[in-house]
Amino acid sequence: MAFAPIEPITMNPIIRELMAINGARLVYRPKILPQHLLKAQNWQYWAKIKKISQIKTPSGKSVFDGIQIIARPGDPIKKAVKYINNYASKIGIHFIDLNFCCPGYKVLPKRRGGDLLKDPESIIKVISEAIKYTNLPISIKIRKGFLNSDTPTKLCTLIRREFGENIAWIAVNRAPVKMENVDFSLIKKDFKPFEQAITAVEGKIPIIANGSIESYNNINIIKKNVNTNGFMIGRAALGNQTIFHNILDPSYSGFEANKLDNAQIISKFEELFKIISKYQNGPSGRFCSMGELKKILFYYIKHYFTSMNKQLPPGYGFTKWNNQKFSPDSLIKALFKIFPAISEKTWKSWINTIFTK
Ligand SMILES: Cc1cc2nc3c(=O)[nH]c(=O)nc-3n(C[C@H](O)[C@H](O)[C@H](O)COP(=O)(O)O)c2cc1C
């Protein structure tokens, strides 16, 4: 199981740790250009998961934390990769992922991310440059192609021929880069891109399925049709990290908010605040600010309501919530209002431990 890189939220090591203890063995920091990485050697990308060697998934597996580079031929890939390689243990990085999937409107015209899918040879050049200068595992993240009519076959075949087992895994998002006029309901059911990637790599490179996986059932459908080596979940895990646990062990409840009892709701938040308390001191303290906490809590609130098929209450929508200026007291009140299962006293004890330090 992997938790997908999501910019900017997965920069936050608290989020990555939260996913990991619930079952994501692979977690990633979001994409960064090699030139930006080299300019900012002192920033939040380097906030590592604390004591990651002691962190285990619910089935007792180790966890790996990576960084993702988005580059094109001509970028300072060698320098960036060497830098990561030299400081890997200090900055808590276990693998380097290469992004050939981003559909961003600012990224594509610069010929990076998903745009490179139009030219598999350029992808080979980027990988060749990266792989030369690091001992860390190199993984790849792609979409099925640039257009909906594309398949990952040619690219995956080339990657297998050029690098074979030297590539740690390929995560394949089943959606194309260009989504205009594409019927998304069909993409969500599609498993062909995974099948095509698996055939192309001939068992030499693990294939991880990604794209609109939202439940245990979605995974079951993929599993019935193809034999992927893993699953990557992004958006559906936000505020809902137990999705990983639930997939590992379907009897584990926690996915559907309306199935949660009060004790489970409390333990969900307890888990979060326990992790936050680990990050309060030192540079990672920036991830324990009111702004960051608000961002994390928003996803809990959103998931809680959507899983009950309910609209978010007034004032709790993304923009309103994130633009609101909270004091610890007003935050406690706002949280108590939507999660009355947790007493104000309990909210206070959690929130105050963060803001009175
Ligand atoms: C807001 C947002 C930011 C993202 N940032 C990145 C990123 O930095 N790197 C990347 O490879 N993918 C990024 N993605 C794509 C996700 O990693 C993932 O492939 C995609 O959301 C499909 O998986 P999901 O349906 O499980 O969310 C981003 C997606 C979203 C919604």
Side-chain angles (χ1 to χ4, degrees), residues 4-7 30-31 68 99 101 141 173 210-212 233-235:
I6 298 182
E7 194 182 14
K31 63 177 181 290
Q68 189 188 62
N99 177 318
C101 56
K141 190 161 175 285
N173 182 343
N210 170 238
S212 300
I233 301 177
R235 290 162 298 174

Side-chain angles (χ1 to χ4, degrees), residues 116-134:
L116 295 196
L117 292 172
K118 293 195 279 195
D119 176 16
E121 290 297 340
S122 63
I123 292 185
I124 299 300
K125 280 188 196 148
V126 172
I127 304 175
S128 302
E129 183 81 353
I131 220 163
K132 251 192 276 175
Y133 300 103
T134 181

